[in-house]
Amino acid sequence: MEAPAADTGSMQGKRRRIGVMTSGGDAPGMNAAVRAVVRTAISRGCEAYGIYEGYEGLVRGGDLIKQMHWDDVRGWLSEGGTLIGTARCKSFMERPGRLQGAKNLVTRGINALIICGGDGSLTGADIFRDEWPGLLSELVRKGELTAVQIKPFRHLNIVGLVGSIDNDMASTDATIGAFSSLARICQAVDFIESTAFSHSRAFVIEVMGRHCGWLALMAGVSTGADYVFLPEHPPGVDWEKRMCEIISKHRKLGKRKTTVIVAEGAQDQQLNKISPDKVKDVLSNELGLDTRITTLGHVQRGGTASAYDRMLATLQGIEAVEAVLEATPETPTPMIAINENKIVRTPLMEAVKLTHDVAAAIRAKDFEKAMQMRSDEFEEYYRAYMITTATDQQGSLLPEDKRMRVAFIHVGAPAGGMNAATRAAVAYCLSRGHKPVAIHNGFPGLCRHHDDKPLGAVRDLVWLEVDGWDSKGGSEIGTNRGLPNEDIEKTAHCFDLYKFDAVFLVGGFEAFTAVAQLREARDKYPVFSIPMAVLPATISNNVPGTEYSIGSDTCLNALVEYCDAIRQSASASRRRVFVVETQGGRSGYIATMAGLCVGAFAVYTPEEGVNIKMISRDIDALREGFANDQGMTRAGKLILRNEHASQTYTTEVIANMIREEAKGRFESRFAIPGHVQQGGIPSPMDRVRAVRLAVRCIQHLEKYGGKSRDEIKQDPMSATVIGIQGASVILSAMQKLEEEETDWPDRRPKREYWLGLKGSVDVLSGRRNMPGS
């Protein structure tokens, strides 16, 4: 079903034509970007053209430039690589090739290009735009085009999307494909570590990254690798000694496995290459470790895109079309980027220049500058990795009077990344001289079992115990929905008994509520006048003060994988609709984002509710859609319903209504993945963000070391929530969040940033363009 399109009035009343192409190395998520560009362009009254085989297709033209219709991109979200192809093109590097490319665009009526590729591909696009007026003039002089033909095409608008598994482009936190590639690496390392543990072996793992160490660093953070080698931050000439010292300490502490991750561009400070073979020889000869090498190669580039890359590519594809439609001849070529959680436009060539400047700084051996130019986030992750990996850092210890007993507690339902956050926070505490103390099984565990024999619920944490927690799902110290107010007096007694100086809570809305209760009880129980920090961890992503909660990405990946399998079944049957029930409490975040990632036909959320008119309209659209499907374009459809979207219209009821009204023209089924959404190995995104945010939390808590209880009580920031808001990581005061930003009855923030994305789901499914919508 092609969405209705309006005439924009450009080019003497003709629809505007936008070309889309992929170039350079393929990256998971490119197909999602193409799909978003095609469908957004059509919904905005434009025509979309696919340029196949990258710049080669632009130069050759002919059948390699094809108009793309709504159904042409159906099912593309779950496909890896790029379905419109990519190829090296030497001819485009020369002016005659670009001249032919310009002619092909004009003859097809295309005057805007959206290109998904790396810095080289995007640089070529910007050169093409700069030369555009001269290329058209030359084509007229040579008689290949007429002045009349080129008149509507005086200006070429170009927008860049960065598709690169290396995540090597400056001015953006993530490139399309990077987190999918990281997921492949982490999965491989997780698998390898089980055999490494069994045989007490060392493994040297080479990952991609010729000029950028993002994959190596994030893999190190995600898997707790013993040592990483990065191009931007090379070790000194004595790296063999330093590496052996760290690994020896880990082995003496009882660690049975050793993992070293090497970026393919790794080198020392004299620019001498550090190869996996060289690292292996050091580990074998100096430490006597049974060492193996694994080079992951192109497995890092292949496979379907992760939930994050589908979301990123989709939102950037939508923004790219908007950028094209808003561009003027004077607008610098934009690149669509993401900063923390915000999609932004940034000048393309500034980003390319910064990217090249990083490589130049490395060649000049100015590694400090290279790290600074990479991004603040990259440098912060490096510091977090170093301080949570080394076990003996005498230089970072705080004075005795500044050291604290920090209580660790998980509150609420389990979420992927809880253990990774705890591991990082414990390692940071130990490096600073703090005493990390685990409260097992939440507040009920503290009150009922704190003094059990032989093992109570309050136990000291040591490095070796938590070292393997980065890749473990659930909660290793146990989590519970119980709150302090269930026995506030006993909670206060235990806080006093165990002399806690600070509390680090990891959890969802229950953790948020727990700190609110502890803060409010400070007048009656002064023992609660200690610093407290909440790291939001819940699949529902419903904690005030943040747009992202640890565990939500793991949940999305599990749900997307489930929905991909369901859609495959539905598509095989051709005429079938599946209504899938998602978790998420009274927040529709998971349902909406999963809908964006799997191409759901409709999403029902608690915020919007469900009514009979909505269901009736959707059934009419399904009936029309199945009637118009032809041959191989026939496919199953998905509807996602949040578990609390309606008390009346349950998942089964909706599926039955659709089946009844279909009158045999198509079928309907319902599916409930349930707690599959909470379990499993944490995603790399949840792991790395857990590490970063956990370290930030402990750094905040330790600022109160040595302060009096009265000083702490008077400080609004002594009870905080850490979160990602827009393009920033922010610590927010609990009292302000409680009073101004919390919808207490529905257990969610008053302002949910993602609500606007619901419209994008409807646009890309064609649902928004239905009559009456």
Side-chain angles (χ1 to χ4, degrees):
M1 180 181 69
E2 179 149 335
D7 196 340
T8 62
S10 62
M11 296 190 302
Q12 290 84 38
K14 294 182 180 178
R15 293 180 180 182
R16 186 156 194 185
R17 293 179 175 178
I18 300 173
V20 59
M21 60 184 280
T22 53
S23 181
D26 65 297
M30 282 183 164
N31 292 319
V34 174
R35 171 184 178 271
V37 168
V38 169
R39 291 195 168 180
T40 304
I42 293 171
S43 72
R44 296 283 273 123
C46 304
E47 293 179 357
Y49 281 76
I51 301 172
Y52 287 68
E53 310 304 338
Y55 285 112
E56 183 70 21
L58 182 62
V59 173
R60 288 170 55 187
D63 290 341
L64 294 179
I65 302 178
K66 304 175 185 177
Q67 185 174 0
M68 301 189 77
H69 301 283
W70 193 268
D71 289 334
D72 291 339
V73 292
R74 178 180 288 176
W76 282 31
L77 280 166
S78 59
E79 296 289 341
T82 166
L83 293 175
I84 61 173
T86 180
R88 296 185 181 276
C89 182
K90 292 183 179 179
S91 58
F92 189 79
M93 299 170 67
E94 306 294 333
R95 185 175 175 86
R98 295 192 289 274
L99 193 69
Q100 185 61 43
K103 180 181 178 181
N104 289 332
L105 290 183
V106 172
T107 55
R108 291 302 184 98
I110 299 169
N111 69 344
L113 274 181
I114 295 174
I115 300 172
C116 184
D119 64 324
S121 300
L122 299 181
T123 300
D126 193 70
I127 293 171
F128 190 45
R129 182 192 176 184
D130 286 343
E131 292 182 350
W132 183 257
L135 293 171
L136 294 191
S137 298
E138 187 174 340
L139 287 168
V140 172
R141 284 199 311 271
K142 290 183 173 181
E144 296 187 37
L145 294 175
T146 67
V148 174
Q149 280 180 295
I150 70 167
K151 188 175 180 180
F153 305 97
R154 289 293 185 185
H155 305 287
L156 176 68
N157 293 127
I158 286 181
V159 177
L161 302 175
V162 192
S164 168
I165 67 166
D166 293 339
N167 199 18
D168 54 354
M169 180 68 83
S171 303
T172 186
D173 289 344
T175 57
I176 295 169
F179 273 98
S180 298
S181 179
L182 181 60
R184 307 281 181 276
I185 295 169
C186 290
Q187 183 183 50
V189 175
D190 291 344
F191 289 169
I192 287 169
E193 286 194 337
S194 62
T195 189
F197 182 90
S198 300
H199 297 275
S200 192
R201 282 179 177 150
F203 272 85
V204 181
I205 301 169
E206 185 180 47
V207 301
M208 288 187 175
R210 220 177 0 246
H211 304 295
C212 178
W214 187 87
L215 284 174
L217 175 59
M218 295 305 164
V221 172
S222 300
T223 63
D226 298 87
Y227 208 81
V228 297
F229 289 93
L230 318 175
E232 301 91 339
H233 201 292
V237 291
D238 63 341
W239 63 266
E240 296 97 333
K241 178 182 177 184
R242 176 61 179 155
M243 179 181 71
C244 289
E245 285 176 352
I246 290 175
I247 291 173
S248 292
K249 287 174 183 175
H250 290 178
R251 287 282 175 162
K252 287 174 184 176
L253 286 167
K255 191 171 182 180
R256 283 179 54 85
K257 58 184 174 64
T258 297
T259 306
V260 177
I261 296 179
V262 183
E264 62 180 327
Q267 57 196 354
D268 65 20
Q269 291 181 359
Q270 299 304 313
L271 306 186
N272 299 310
K273 181 173 176 57
I274 297 176
S275 67
D277 286 313
K278 194 166 188 178
V279 176
K280 173 185 179 294
D281 290 343
V282 172
L283 295 176
S284 299
N285 298 333
E286 299 298 324
L287 298 181
L289 296 177
D290 182 7
T291 308
R292 300 286 192 274
I293 294 174
T294 299
T295 300
L296 297 180
H298 282 74
V299 71
Q300 299 162 81
R301 193 180 289 283
T304 187
S306 67
Y308 180 81
D309 276 328
R310 296 188 195 192
M311 179 274 295
L312 177 66
T314 297
L315 295 182
Q316 289 190 340
I318 294 169
E319 183 67 15
V321 174
E322 297 302 322
V324 163
L325 298 179
E326 295 171 13
T328 67
E330 293 75 33
T331 305
T333 300
M335 179 187 87
I336 312 300
I338 186 166
N339 292 329
E340 295 295 354
N341 223 36
K342 188 175 182 181
I343 302 292
V344 297
R345 301 177 196 175
T346 189
L348 170 63
M349 292 316 295
E350 286 185 18
V352 170
K353 182 180 183 305
L354 285 172
T355 303
H356 292 167
D357 286 348
V358 173
I362 293 173
R363 288 194 298 271
K365 302 180 184 179
D366 192 345
F367 304 113
E368 183 177 351
K369 182 180 179 181
M371 287 292 288
Q372 291 172 350
M373 294 176 69
R374 185 60 78 193
S375 73
D376 292 340
E377 183 189 57
F378 187 88
E379 194 165 9
E380 184 178 0
Y381 273 120
Y382 180 78
R383 290 195 303 269
Y385 170 75
M386 292 304 296
I387 205 163
T388 57
T389 298
T391 57
D392 182 13
Q393 303 187 50
Q394 294 295 320
S396 64
L397 293 174
L398 292 172
E400 290 281 354
D401 62 339
K402 299 288 185 182
R403 300 179 189 179
M404 310 168 81
R405 279 178 59 83
V406 183
F408 285 63
I409 185 165
H410 294 177
V411 187
M418 279 183 156
N419 294 318
T422 303
R423 173 192 176 274
V426 167
Y428 182 85
C429 282
L430 295 173
S431 73
R432 302 286 278 171
H434 303 307
K435 175 69 74 174
V437 182
I439 298 175
H440 287 255
N441 301 315
F443 286 101
L446 174 68
C447 294
R448 301 171 194 165
H449 305 291
H450 68 93
D451 58 353
D452 284 2
K453 305 298 180 186
L455 202 60
V458 181
R459 309 174 208 164
D460 290 350
L461 288 162
V462 296
W463 181 82
L464 187 62
E465 179 185 1
V466 302
D467 181 58
W469 287 10
D470 38 57
S471 60
K472 289 190 176 181
S475 167
E476 288 295 300
I477 65 173
T479 185
N480 195 294
R481 295 181 186 272
L483 296 172
N485 278 358
E486 292 174 13
D487 194 342
I488 193 69
E489 189 171 338
K490 187 63 175 289
T491 302
H493 167 74
C494 290
F495 268 51
D496 186 53
L497 178 65
Y498 291 100
K499 307 299 180 188
F500 297 140
D501 299 311
V503 184
F504 175 55
L505 298 94
V506 183
F509 200 88
E510 290 85 358
F512 179 85
T513 305
V515 172
Q517 293 177 358
L518 294 173
R519 188 191 64 77
E520 289 171 359
R522 281 174 168 175
D523 287 336
K524 186 174 181 181
Y525 301 102
V527 72
F528 295 142
S529 294
I530 57 177
M532 309 173 191
V534 178
L535 195 166
T538 167
I539 68 168
S540 303
N541 196 27
N542 63 339
V543 179
T546 186
E547 297 173 1
Y548 177 90
S549 298
I550 301 301
S552 59
D553 186 67
T554 300
C555 172
L556 277 174
N557 278 288
L559 190 54
V560 165
E561 184 176 356
Y562 182 90
C563 287
D564 281 350
I566 289 287
R567 180 185 284 280
Q568 190 176 62
S569 171
S571 297
S573 305
R574 297 297 169 93
R575 297 177 178 273
R576 180 171 290 177
V577 180
F578 269 95
V579 184
V580 179
E581 182 174 293
T582 75
Q583 292 187 340
R586 297 191 180 277
S587 169
Y589 172 83
I590 286 296
T592 300
M593 300 308 288
L596 202 66
C597 294
V598 301
F601 168 74
V603 172
Y604 299 146
T605 65
E607 289 84 355
E608 187 179 28
V610 186
N611 57 59
I612 189 66
K613 287 185 178 179
M614 183 185 299
I615 296 173
S616 176
R617 192 172 65 241
D618 287 341
I619 291 173
D620 287 342
L622 288 168
R623 191 182 293 117
E624 179 185 349
F626 280 116
N628 292 333
D629 277 352
Q630 299 292 326
M632 293 305 294
T633 67
R634 293 177 180 174
K637 300 186 187 298
L638 295 179
I639 293 176
L640 302 187
R641 175 193 171 275
N642 169 277
E643 58 189 340
H644 292 295
S646 170
Q647 290 185 335
T648 303
Y649 299 110
T650 65
T651 304
E652 185 174 3
V653 165
I654 292 173
N656 288 340
M657 290 175 68
I658 294 172
R659 183 186 304 113
E660 180 68 23
E661 294 300 319
K663 306 297 185 185
R665 295 183 181 91
F666 53 92
E667 299 177 345
S668 176
R669 300 282 191 275
F670 72 95
I672 303 176
H675 284 75
V676 166
Q677 298 163 78
Q678 289 184 8
I681 296 172
S683 72
M685 169 166 283
D686 279 334
R687 297 193 212 181
V688 297
R689 284 190 168 175
V691 170
R692 182 188 183 199
L693 298 180
V695 170
R696 282 268 192 111
C697 283
I698 305 300
Q699 288 173 337
H700 177 71
L701 293 176
E702 70 182 2
K703 294 177 183 176
Y704 293 90
K707 289 190 176 182
S708 69
R709 285 183 175 176
D710 189 57
E711 285 180 291
I712 294 170
K713 180 183 174 183
Q714 298 304 317
D715 187 346
M717 292 300 291
S718 64
T720 60
V721 174
I722 194 168
I724 294 174
Q725 297 181 30
S728 305
V729 174
I730 294 174
L731 281 154
S732 303
M734 274 295 303
Q735 185 171 358
K736 184 174 185 294
L737 293 176
E738 294 167 36
E739 296 172 355
E740 300 178 16
E741 298 186 28
T742 304
D743 178 350
W744 287 101
D746 285 326
R747 293 165 49 91
R748 64 191 184 210
K750 287 182 178 178
R751 292 175 292 277
E752 296 176 293
Y753 86 98
W754 54 266
L755 283 175
L757 301 180
K758 176 71 165 51
S760 298
V761 177
D762 291 342
V763 167
L764 296 179
S765 71
R767 184 171 180 246
R768 170 162 288 186
N769 299 297
M770 298 184 319
S773 63

